[in-house]
Amino acid sequence: MSARRSSNRSTQSHTSTQSTAGRAPQPVRRKASAFAGGRVWWHFALDAAVLAVLLGLGVLGFGPTFGHDPAYLVAGFGAIILGLAVAAAGAHWRLGLITTAGLGLLVYMFFGTPLAARDESIAGFIPSLDSLRGLLLGIMLSWKQLLTLAAPVGSSVDVMVVPYLAAFLLAIVAGTLAWRVRRAYWAMIPVVVMFIVGIAFGTAELFLPVLRGSLLAIGAIAWLAYRQEALRRETAGAISANQPVQDRAGARTALLRRLALAAGVIVVAGSLTMAAAPALTTSADREVLRDAVIPPPDLHSLPSPLTKFRDYVKNEKDTVLFTVQGLPKNGRVRIAAMDNYDGVVFNVDPNSSASFAPIGDPKALNNGGTDGSTAVDLSISNYQGVWIPTVAAAQSLAYESTQGQNTTLYLNKESGTALNLSGIQTGDSYALDVQFPAVDQNKLAASNFASVRLPKLENVPPVVGTKANDIVGEVDTPLKKVQALEGALQREGKFSNGLEGQVQSNSGHSAARITKLLSGKEMVGDDEQYATAMVLMARHMGIPARVVMGFYLDEKDPNNGAPSVEIKGADVHAWVEVNFAGQGWVPFNPTPDKDNVPNPPEPQNASKPKPQVLQPPPPPQEPAELPPDSAPDALDTDGKKDQDAGLLGTILLIIGVAAIPILILALPLVLVAVLKARRRKRRLTEGEPADRVSGGWQEVLSLATDLGAQYPQGGTRREAAVSLYGAFPATQANTALLAERADAAVFGPGQPAEEEVELYWKHVDRSVTGMGESVGFWKRQRARFSPRSLLADAKARAGKQKRGRSLRNSGQDREGAVKRLLNRLSKKS
């Protein structure tokens, strides 16, 4: 027998070997495409369109950074389409992480030249060595490059990589999460990140904040509701394959209810976003990363431009500094705006409004258009320094330096002045596109002072405050206060440059010089002293003011308004600018007319000298105590702490604005969680002990409802427990025990003891925990925030109230019948 079984086994093995060898080798089966789940093709196309729109809203945040150049839209939206295509390919062929990353790198490099490096490409789309190098190095360096350049940053590959790469990567992540993860809300994470990136790398200028935020919130909620409904139908279809739905009217009602709830959430979300966005985006002090992360160049190492004022007047009076073509009549060429005073000089302050940043595109200083602009050309002759002479609100600057084309220029958009740290040389020339601001006097008279951050002035002489209070007096309107200061200096002051043949007038604008100007028998000085004195008095009154130095021709000069004007040292001036809300910086001229010269000094009578008498030495004096106001203010002088606090506030503001859609999405979930917590507390604490035991059983049924389990609604507790056996086999014994004890407590004699109620709820918690652990993590979280059990409770309460009304009506009918019967019997008797 043993030999026969061995022979049989060998025969079977041989036969199996022959049959296996005779069959063709089975190919390795590839995983099914993510698009083969039963959804029609246009559902996936709709996903891609929605993600493209939502990611595009984030790309639009780069608009002010690039001066609304369409090139950034081509790079950003092109990258979104490419990223979604890579994600679709990865989802269809089930590509792994490394394969998807390799495919993405190839697509990034191949399409990067025509989308983000057209300036460096050949014929606008053929890759070159410069374009490929820029695309590779831009992955690491473009982020810092974009932050260190003043907007608009131009269209070079060094900065265009940021929107291109950010949109490309986040589109891949969003598409992958939307098509390869069951829960669609994960795809909203890269969408929100794209929105944050657009804000963080943007400028202080707001670009459609309310519209973009509202569209993001509404679009995200609508798409997530659509995906949730699609998932629910897919799940319901799998369940109904074995259990066909009988109540089609109820299913239709549930669908309409869900659609109405989704529409209500969308309306509420849109309303909240539109209401909250203006409050968060109308701050005049809005900061972004480019204003706080990268410190501006240290301008304190440069001498104050105002210290060269008297040198222009005395030593370069007839020297041609530069030639201006296209300057209108009474036009001014500005050199620098100074807002920081230390008791010695007025200077620019890099910690306040004078934050200079490298100009990304020298052809575009500001973001405005060219409508109504005037072309102005400047040619440097003997002007030297680092401050570039500019005109009004320059919109573009095409600079040609004798040192080459790669001159680094810096811009202060707040003061409208530009800087060349390499130094301006003879032969330099540049063309400006200028808009000359027009001041509406009627609007100016009704305007208040603007809120502008300015540094604290130090070592201001006390006479400044006294003089300012005497001049302003009871004047109440902002414009009249400024005009009072300007008019007093013009009327009471005398003009003198201290040149040969003029009354002596010392140069400088230190605290001692300003004290002499304001406290002397008569005020004598020139633009340097009068502009300084007016700004110091204005700042004492809380008026935002600064000193501006520049050049302009006198109104009576015959060359004023000529097509070509030679600016000489004698044309130097200093004036005052005050910031009015809605009007910007408005110029004022406190300097008296040059014809208003001081009176000659009175001759002194000669006196006979008296014999000198040796006087005893004066007694020693105690050191004078400085007034408390002369001590420096640590809050104002600690600039680094202010910068750190400003950076933290900027980051928190960006996160807060970007979190608005997330908070709106989370609001319904939080509401559901709160209602469930209140329901559990009510079931545990309210009513008789039997009612609390029954509430524990209801807690089990509520969780089963949220987890999608089916049980007979009108059945007994034991029937419901039997129905839950298949859905939660791990808790079968505990569920049956809970149903039996609940029946005993409700239908048994008397009330259960408090210890029995407490023990019952412990079993309830154990059963609830087991039911939750029997499903996956994400299904457990979905049940936690599902409103199904809440809606079922509301429906049960409505049915109970309806039955109660029916019973009351039937009882009233029976009572009426009895009364009528008694009345008939009484009549017969």
Side-chain angles (χ1 to χ4, degrees):
M1 292 292 293
S2 178
R4 188 180 297 111
R5 283 194 299 267
S6 177
S7 177
N8 292 338
R9 282 195 300 269
S10 62
T11 302
Q12 292 173 359
S13 176
H14 179 70
T15 304
S16 176
T17 302
Q18 286 182 342
S19 63
T20 302
R23 290 195 304 265
Q26 295 292 333
V28 179
R29 188 173 183 179
R30 181 172 57 86
K31 292 183 179 180
S33 169
F35 303 127
R39 295 174 60 195
V40 296
W41 66 269
W42 64 266
H43 285 185
F44 301 102
L46 179 62
D47 293 341
V50 171
L51 291 177
V53 171
L54 297 181
L55 290 169
L57 292 175
V59 172
L60 292 177
F62 288 101
T65 304
F66 290 90
H68 301 283
D69 189 340
Y72 89 96
L73 294 176
V74 174
F77 282 90
I80 292 174
I81 296 174
L82 293 176
L84 292 176
V86 172
H92 178 67
W93 285 293
R94 294 289 184 178
L95 302 180
L97 177 61
I98 297 178
T99 307
T100 303
L103 177 62
L105 180 60
L106 290 177
V107 173
Y108 168 81
M109 295 299 298
F110 185 80
F111 291 96
T113 297
L115 292 179
R118 287 183 295 175
D119 294 345
E120 291 77 13
S121 64
I122 301 174
F125 65 95
I126 301 176
S128 65
L129 184 61
D130 291 338
S131 67
L132 296 178
R133 184 191 302 113
L135 289 171
L136 285 175
L137 295 180
I139 298 175
M140 299 294 295
L141 304 178
S142 61
W143 312 92
K144 181 179 179 181
Q145 184 77 2
L146 185 65
L147 286 176
T148 55
L149 296 179
V153 297
S155 58
S156 67
V157 67
D158 296 333
V159 293
M160 199 61 69
V161 167
V162 175
Y164 174 67
L165 180 59
F168 182 69
L169 289 178
L170 294 173
I172 294 177
V173 176
T176 301
L177 293 175
W179 295 322
R180 303 182 71 171
V181 177
R182 188 173 178 83
R183 305 301 177 186
Y185 48 76
W186 286 107
M188 290 299 100
I189 295 179
V191 170
V192 174
V193 171
M194 186 71 241
F195 205 80
I196 294 176
V197 170
I199 296 175
F201 287 88
T203 66
E205 178 187 350
L206 301 174
F207 181 65
L208 303 177
V210 177
L211 179 61
R212 289 172 55 229
S214 301
L215 290 178
L216 178 64
I218 294 174
I221 293 174
W223 182 69
L224 290 176
Y226 153 74
R227 286 294 303 266
Q228 183 66 23
E229 177 63 18
L231 179 62
R232 189 198 66 79
R233 290 192 175 190
E234 181 181 350
T235 305
I239 295 175
S240 62
N242 297 323
Q243 299 178 1
V245 178
Q246 300 296 333
D247 188 6
R248 300 189 179 275
R252 190 181 304 108
T253 303
L255 175 61
L256 295 176
R257 183 169 58 247
R258 284 191 295 272
L259 292 177
L261 179 62
V265 171
I266 292 174
V267 172
V268 172
S271 301
L272 290 177
T273 303
M274 297 185 68
L280 295 174
T281 56
T282 54
S283 173
D285 253 354
R286 180 175 182 264
E287 295 181 356
V288 289
L289 289 180
R290 66 175 57 255
D291 298 329
V293 174
I294 305 300
D298 184 12
L299 301 181
H300 285 304
S301 60
L302 301 176
S304 169
L306 201 55
T307 58
K308 193 174 172 58
F309 186 91
R310 191 62 66 91
D311 181 67
Y312 282 126
V313 174
K314 295 183 65 175
N315 302 323
E316 300 184 50
K317 178 180 180 181
D318 299 321
T319 302
V320 177
L321 303 178
F322 50 85
T323 303
V324 185
Q325 295 180 350
L327 187 67
K329 186 176 179 62
N330 298 326
R332 301 187 181 193
V333 178
R334 60 195 299 117
I335 299 298
M338 294 152 282
D339 51 13
N340 186 41
Y341 186 74
D342 59 2
V344 180
V345 294
F346 248 114
N347 206 344
V348 294
D349 181 21
N351 296 324
S352 62
S353 62
S355 295
F356 285 78
I359 298 176
D361 187 359
K363 295 181 180 180
L365 282 178
N366 295 322
N367 296 329
T370 58
D371 295 340
S373 59
T374 303
V376 177
D377 297 327
L378 285 90
S379 300
I380 303 299
S381 297
N382 295 290
Y383 176 83
Q384 294 181 348
V386 296
W387 303 98
I388 301 176
T390 59
V391 181
Q395 293 182 327
S396 67
L397 185 150
Y399 197 98
E400 295 183 5
S401 173
T402 56
Q403 306 174 43
Q405 295 294 329
N406 296 325
T407 303
T408 301
L409 307 179
Y410 292 84
L411 169 68
N412 180 355
K413 293 192 297 182
E414 179 67 20
S415 62
T417 54
L419 182 66
N420 183 356
L421 290 179
S422 300
I424 299 172
Q425 303 293 331
T426 301
D428 289 359
S429 61
Y430 49 96
L432 298 168
D433 239 353
V434 177
Q435 272 192 341
F436 294 95
V439 179
D440 190 333
Q441 295 297 329
N442 295 327
K443 293 182 178 179
L444 184 63
S447 299
N448 292 320
F449 297 121
S451 177
V452 182
R453 182 188 303 175
L454 295 173
K456 180 183 178 182
L457 305 182
E458 299 180 357
N459 303 320
V460 179
V463 67
V464 168
T466 303
K467 190 74 173 179
N469 294 331
D470 292 341
I471 293 175
V472 174
E474 301 297 329
V475 176
D476 52 355
T477 63
L479 179 60
K480 289 183 178 180
K481 289 182 180 180
V482 179
Q483 291 175 339
L485 296 174
E486 178 190 38
L489 294 176
Q490 288 178 346
R491 292 189 307 270
E492 301 175 14
K494 306 296 181 180
F495 183 88
S496 174
N497 283 325
L499 301 179
E500 184 177 357
Q502 296 182 357
V503 174
Q504 181 181 359
S505 174
N506 297 332
S507 62
H509 51 281
S510 64
R513 180 66 179 90
I514 300 303
T515 300
K516 181 178 180 181
L517 175 74
L518 297 179
S519 60
K521 186 175 181 181
E522 61 179 358
M523 292 186 290
V524 179
D526 54 14
D527 300 45
E528 180 183 3
Q529 290 82 42
Y530 286 109
T532 300
M534 179 175 172
V535 170
L536 293 179
M537 288 190 292
R539 297 278 284 274
H540 172 79
M541 304 297 296
I543 301 173
R546 64 189 183 189
V547 176
V548 181
M549 177 179 167
F551 300 87
Y552 62 84
L553 299 179
D554 290 340
E555 189 173 357
K556 300 178 181 179
D557 193 306
N559 293 322
N560 192 348
S564 180
V565 177
E566 291 184 343
I567 300 297
K568 302 178 181 179
D571 300 320
V572 67
H573 289 280
W575 61 91
V576 176
E577 287 185 345
V578 177
N579 200 321
F580 288 86
Q583 304 298 319
W585 293 96
V586 180
F588 292 88
N589 302 297
T591 305
D593 190 80
K594 290 184 178 180
D595 297 336
N596 192 6
V597 296
N599 298 322
E602 297 180 358
Q604 300 291 333
N605 295 327
S607 59
K608 295 181 179 181
K610 296 182 179 180
Q612 296 183 354
V613 180
L614 183 62
Q615 300 292 332
Q621 297 181 354
E622 297 182 358
E625 295 184 0
L626 294 176
D629 291 342
S630 63
D633 190 348
L635 294 176
D636 291 319
T637 58
D638 197 355
K640 292 185 177 180
K641 291 183 179 180
D642 290 343
Q643 287 186 355
D644 295 340
L647 173 59
L648 178 60
T650 301
I651 295 175
L652 292 178
L653 178 60
I654 292 174
I655 294 175
V657 174
I660 292 178
I662 300 177
L663 294 177
I664 294 174
L665 292 174
L667 184 60
L669 304 181
V670 174
L671 180 61
V672 169
V674 170
L675 292 177
K676 288 186 177 181
R678 289 184 55 191
R679 181 183 63 186
R680 174 184 170 85
K681 182 178 179 181
R682 185 174 63 254
R683 289 172 173 175
L684 178 61
T685 59
E686 295 181 2
E688 298 293 336
D691 296 331
R692 284 181 276 156
V693 171
S694 178
W697 174 252
Q698 292 297 325
E699 191 71 16
V700 174
L701 294 183
S702 295
L703 178 60
T705 301
D706 291 332
L707 290 172
Q710 301 291 331
Y711 60 90
Q713 297 294 330
T716 64
R717 293 184 179 88
R718 297 192 182 189
E719 291 174 346
V722 172
S723 300
L724 297 180
Y725 289 168
F728 312 104
T731 60
Q732 177 178 347
N734 199 32
T735 303
L737 178 62
L738 290 175
E740 182 180 352
R741 290 188 178 181
D743 285 341
V746 174
F747 301 110
Q751 294 287 343
E754 291 294 336
E755 294 78 7
E756 295 177 344
V757 176
E758 183 178 355
L759 179 61
Y760 185 86
W761 270 92
K762 288 183 179 180
H763 285 287
V764 169
D765 293 337
R766 189 179 308 159
S767 181
V768 167
T769 303
M771 293 167 63
E773 292 176 351
S774 65
V775 298
F777 173 79
W778 297 115
K779 188 172 183 180
R780 187 162 61 248
Q781 299 305 318
R782 178 186 174 186
R784 177 175 297 176
F785 299 104
S786 174
R788 289 182 179 177
S789 60
L790 296 174
L791 296 176
D793 292 345
K795 185 177 180 180
R797 286 194 299 269
K800 186 177 180 180
Q801 292 175 358
K802 184 177 180 181
R803 288 193 299 269
R805 288 194 299 268
S806 299
L807 290 176
R808 285 194 300 271
N809 293 335
S810 61
Q812 291 175 358
D813 292 341
R814 288 194 297 269
E815 183 179 357
V818 171
K819 289 182 177 179
R820 288 193 297 272
L821 179 60
L822 292 177
N823 289 333
R824 286 198 297 269
L825 292 176
S826 61
K827 290 179 179 179
K828 290 181 179 179
S829 61

